[in-house]
Amino acid sequence: MTHRFDAGIDRGTAFTITVDDAAVRAFPGESVAAALLGDGRRAFRRTARTGAPRSLYCGMGVCWDCLVTIDGRSGLRACMTEAQPGMRVLTGRTGLEPEAGR
Amino acid sequence: MMRVDLAVVGAGPAGLAAAAEAVTHGMTVALIDDNARPGGQYFRHVPPSFRRTAATAFDKDRARAEALFAITRHPQVTYLPEATVWDVPEPLTLAVAAGPRSGQVEAGAIVVAAGAHDRPVPFPGWTLPGVVSAGGVQNLIKGFRLVPGTRAAVAGNGPLLFLIGASLLRAGVAVAAVVEAAPIDRRLPAALPQLLAAPEILQQALDYRWALLRAGVPVLTGWAPVNAEGEDAVRAVQAAPIAEDGSVDRARARSFDCDLLVVGFGLVPSVELLRLAGAGLRFDRRRGGWLPERDEALETTRRNIFAAGDGTGIGGVELALIEGRRAAVEAAVQLSRIAPFAADEIRAGLRRRWKRLDRFRRGIEALFAPPKDFLALQTPQTVLCRCEEVTRQEIEERRAEGFRGAVQLKSTTRMGMGRCQGRNCMATLAALVAADSGASESAVALPKARAPARPIPIGDLLHETIPPPDLPADPHLPRKRRT
């Protein structure tokens, strides 16, 4: 399980994002990756070729492994995207994202 | 299109120091950074919406960070956060992707302070959720006060492992083991004279080691992770002794339960932009691999392109701050913004400190020098290329068909062609090719560097304003393009 720590920090008021069909709590300023990990989630997606689970690895925008679909845009790095109230995040299999505009 | 005296790529320690020095010599600066907030990895900090209600143990360097960040608000500085430099189309021009602010920055001089990222070392299970790079865990701790686990193991090679082990303890996480590939305890006496060049940094390192000892954390030196176990996420790690020649003794493996495996095998300088700029590189394995060639003024082989900080060879924050300043002073000299005697004075002060820290760095490099390679950690099923899911076995199958070189193996397996653009796998591929051919890694021909340096949204290119070429009025030359 993940834990948020540091008694010297007031994170402010949490808001909600939607991850697949679930409501997930996020604090202002957190990345989507931090919100997902903070919710105790492990896999952020499954790979296109073998369906293997993947999650945050480099945590600094280099490895492109923590990809999620946010508000219809696929292939976004969860570690580099700030969570916003009401965001809709999909964590399914890469390559099977809903195709917008077709 | 923006025109400045100095363009600085990266707002980490070296980049911030370069910008701060440049403005004191009257220069205008564009400070371009990938991240939303300044600081790079070392000075990563909680978002402004996180209010500090009490001083915490995680705020050690905060005052220094705040002082450095002030430069982003200086009137001579144009700070461009969340901006990606994706090409160097002209010798002193940078192509920047930043949504509607995209365009080109033309500069009198450039300081590349691009930093470094974790060296990816494949072993079975390293793609499982819960296996996180050392830098990634540091960023979650510094940036969000979050640890994605409650029982962690730390494994790899390099001084960061001990720092992370100690931070995890401080964050209230149980640490199952720290596994370091280099036999550092045996090497310590020989490295000590150099390490004593910076006793204040050595003291910090000893504090981390002491914290681990006090908490009863097993510290295995001369050992390496050989398997991360789990189906949907990591649940244990197996470690085994590793010899200097890279061979692994799996029969002596020990297992540690964990829900977080922090892996750090040292850092790799980010040299993609310098490669795109055509700057010469050299190979230094202990210092991170491919590094830019620089002269004493930190100038690369490209005129007026300087390089500073960990992106030029791992040296740590103090060295990066000095190098950033030095690079900006040299840029100011080139652009005649500083009197030579004034520059000499600054150089002398910086050189003294640089020499001391460089001596310390050499001690660290000797202490943590890695085994010959980490290829013995792999099994046939190990994924080498995370993006394209290429396994060791696929590489061996292509080799059996006659594909031997890095470029050949890349084009036949797609290894290195995914979104990370080879950052996660090219070093592995180079090591495999080197081991196969008996040549050194430095002799392996790598695929050509191409723009974009990082994937960018194609929409950003629509905001480009391409300037007309500046051609002389020679009737024999093609006519100037109308704008």
Side-chain angles (χ1 to χ4, degrees):
Chain A
M1 257 324 266
T2 295
H3 81 130
R4 293 177 169 99
F5 64 92
D6 198 343
I9 291 285
D10 176 1
R11 289 179 162 77
T13 311
F15 55 83
T16 307
I17 62 173
T18 308
V19 180
D20 302 322
D21 287 320
V24 164
R25 191 174 65 132
F27 288 96
E30 283 189 338
S31 65
V32 171
L36 291 174
L37 294 171
D39 189 51
R41 282 165 190 267
R42 310 305 304 263
F44 287 8
R45 67 174 180 118
R46 303 229 160 225
T47 58
R49 222 177 132 186
T50 66
R54 292 287 174 86
S55 185
L56 179 104
Y57 168 65
C58 86
M60 55 179 81
V62 175
C63 77
W64 298 77
D65 234 350
C66 63
L67 300 180
V68 292
T69 299
I70 300 175
D71 294 336
R73 269 187 77 190
S74 64
L76 293 178
R77 289 170 292 179
C79 75
M80 297 291 277
T81 312
E82 194 173 313
Q84 303 290 345
M87 256 183 180
R88 304 188 69 85
V89 180
L90 299 178
T91 68
R93 186 157 180 176
T94 298
L96 285 179
E97 298 91 355
E99 294 186 16
R102 287 208 184 170
Chain B
M1 164 69 98
M2 173 194 296
R3 157 108 214 144
V4 291
D5 295 325
L6 184 69
V8 178
V9 183
L16 290 166
E21 183 67 28
V23 300
T24 67
H25 307 297
M27 298 164 92
T28 54
V29 176
L31 179 58
I32 311 160
D33 190 62
D34 225 8
N35 290 282
R37 293 190 300 279
Q41 310 308 334
Y42 181 82
F43 287 119
R44 191 170 284 266
H45 52 294
V46 294
S49 50
F50 281 35
R51 280 196 316 112
R52 289 175 172 85
T53 53
T56 81
F58 298 90
D59 269 352
K60 200 179 63 180
D61 247 340
R62 185 170 161 231
R64 198 153 66 133
E66 296 292 340
L68 278 166
F69 298 165
I71 197 61
T72 61
R73 300 181 293 271
H74 192 283
Q76 277 155 250
V77 175
T78 306
Y79 170 52
L80 296 167
E82 293 182 271
T84 301
V85 178
W86 60 275
D87 196 13
V88 189
E90 300 287 331
L92 287 169
T93 300
L94 302 173
V96 180
R101 298 164 303 149
S102 303
Q104 298 196 343
V105 174
E106 198 183 298
I110 297 174
V111 173
V112 178
H117 56 269
D118 281 274
R119 167 183 300 281
V121 170
F123 60 92
W126 77 304
T127 57
L128 278 174
V131 182
V132 186
S133 82
V137 168
Q138 282 279 85
N139 286 353
L140 290 173
I141 292 176
K142 289 181 184 176
F144 302 112
R145 302 295 198 261
L146 183 147
V147 178
T150 47
R151 185 174 169 79
V154 185
N157 171 227
L160 273 183
L161 301 183
F162 297 91
L163 159 70
I164 287 173
S167 315
L168 288 169
L169 288 175
R170 219 164 29 175
V173 174
V175 179
V178 174
V179 179
E180 163 59 53
I184 55 171
D185 292 330
R186 203 175 68 215
R187 290 177 183 168
L188 185 62
L192 203 56
Q194 283 172 307
L195 296 175
L196 285 168
E200 71 286 3
I201 309 180
L202 181 62
Q203 180 63 50
Q204 279 176 19
L206 293 174
D207 288 348
Y208 302 142
R209 190 73 191 260
W210 175 236
L212 292 167
L213 190 69
R214 221 173 24 205
V217 175
V219 174
L220 286 72
T221 62
W223 286 56
V226 292
N227 186 42
E229 189 188 313
E231 280 79 50
D232 289 328
V234 66
R235 88 178 154 245
V237 60
Q238 283 86 44
I242 185 165
E244 308 242 353
D245 67 358
S247 61
V248 173
D249 185 2
R250 282 191 167 76
R252 288 176 58 200
R254 286 177 64 182
S255 189
F256 299 95
D257 288 347
C258 58
D259 61 356
L260 169 67
L261 172 58
V262 186
V263 284
F265 284 87
L267 303 172
V268 186
S270 302
V271 294
E272 309 89 53
L273 274 185
L274 292 166
R275 282 186 79 195
L276 277 175
L281 302 179
R282 64 184 181 88
F283 192 84
D284 184 337
R285 184 141 192 275
R286 282 186 184 188
R287 203 160 286 180
W290 287 103
L291 323 173
E293 274 178 56
R294 299 183 298 171
D295 61 15
E296 219 225 334
L298 309 187
E299 193 173 24
T300 65
T301 58
R302 287 295 181 186
R303 191 164 166 70
N304 283 358
I305 300 187
F306 300 84
D310 274 357
T312 71
I314 309 312
V317 61
E318 309 303 334
L319 214 48
L321 289 166
I322 292 173
E323 287 199 358
R325 277 194 70 190
R326 176 70 192 261
V329 168
E330 299 301 337
V333 169
Q334 289 296 331
L335 303 181
S336 309
R337 297 303 176 87
I338 181 171
F341 71 89
D344 277 341
E345 228 167 78
I346 304 173
R347 285 180 183 130
L350 293 177
R351 199 181 294 121
R352 260 195 313 277
R353 284 159 59 205
W354 190 89
K355 275 199 167 143
R356 188 171 76 83
L357 292 166
D358 189 54
R359 187 167 154 75
F360 176 79
R361 151 162 78 179
R362 286 168 198 280
I364 290 287
E365 286 169 357
L367 193 60
F368 287 96
K372 188 177 132 275
D373 58 44
F374 289 107
L375 299 177
L377 305 188
Q378 299 167 9
T379 62
Q381 284 73 43
T382 304
V383 169
L384 306 186
C385 167
R386 300 174 70 102
C387 298
E388 299 293 324
E389 303 186 84
V390 180
T391 60
R392 173 72 182 262
Q393 186 170 332
E394 281 180 78
I395 294 289
E396 294 310 328
E397 283 165 6
R398 296 289 90 75
R399 278 174 158 180
E401 290 167 18
F403 298 94
R404 309 303 279 213
V407 180
Q408 290 175 342
L409 288 166
K410 173 186 169 183
S411 35
T412 186
T413 62
R414 290 192 56 83
M415 180 159 175
M417 291 167 78
R419 286 178 188 259
C420 85
Q421 291 167 299
R423 280 177 194 82
N424 273 321
C425 57
M426 269 307 139
T428 304
L429 188 56
L432 276 169
V433 171
D436 180 43
S437 64
S440 83
E441 271 175 77
S442 60
V444 175
L446 291 178
K448 193 177 169 346
R450 287 177 214 280
R454 293 184 176 198
I456 51 166
I458 194 132
D460 283 9
L461 303 188
L462 301 175
H463 299 284
E464 274 277 10
T465 46
I466 299 167
D470 191 14
L471 297 175
D474 181 330
H476 301 292
L477 286 173
R479 270 178 304 137
K480 214 168 185 170
R481 192 166 66 185
R482 275 197 298 271
T483 47

